[in-house]
Amino acid sequence: MCRSIKTLFNFEPPATGDEIHASALQYVRKLSGSTHPSQKNQAAFEHAVEEIAATTRRLLAALQTDAPPHDRAVEAAKARERARQRFG
């Protein structure tokens, strides 16, 4: 899985449109093998990003859990600590 794609479900505050778009963009980049598509493929690339973002929004709205939402600040601090331990 691409490390740039972050979990978006069950967080407080909920994922923003920008976060959903960024995840969709990373997903399409990973699948296509291209960070910057050629002009010939630009429209298909952008269409795929928008379709995946829309599907992601619907998925996040439909998912349910009994678990309490994660706090973004706490999870970010944990990630920074893991990175510090990993990379020094």
Side-chain angles (χ1 to χ4, degrees):
M1 185 61 126
C2 187
R3 291 183 185 160
S4 299
I5 299 175
K6 306 297 182 203
T7 301
L8 299 177
F9 177 61
N10 199 26
F11 277 93
E12 192 57 47
T16 65
D18 288 342
E19 289 172 315
I20 292 170
H21 184 270
S23 288
L25 178 60
Q26 286 298 322
Y27 181 75
V28 172
R29 285 177 173 171
K30 186 70 170 184
L31 287 179
S32 69
S34 173
T35 56
H36 301 290
S38 65
Q39 286 183 337
K40 184 183 278 189
N41 294 323
Q42 185 69 34
F45 191 91
E46 289 175 6
H47 180 72
V49 171
E50 292 308 315
E51 288 291 315
I52 291 168
T55 300
T56 301
R57 282 188 214 83
R58 288 192 300 272
L59 172 65
L60 292 175
L63 291 174
Q64 298 178 13
T65 184
D66 292 329
H70 300 281
D71 184 297
R72 286 187 184 279
V74 170
E75 295 301 319
K78 287 180 188 177
R80 282 191 299 273
E81 179 58 25
R82 284 190 304 270
R84 188 190 64 74
Q85 289 178 358
R86 183 174 180 192
F87 302 114

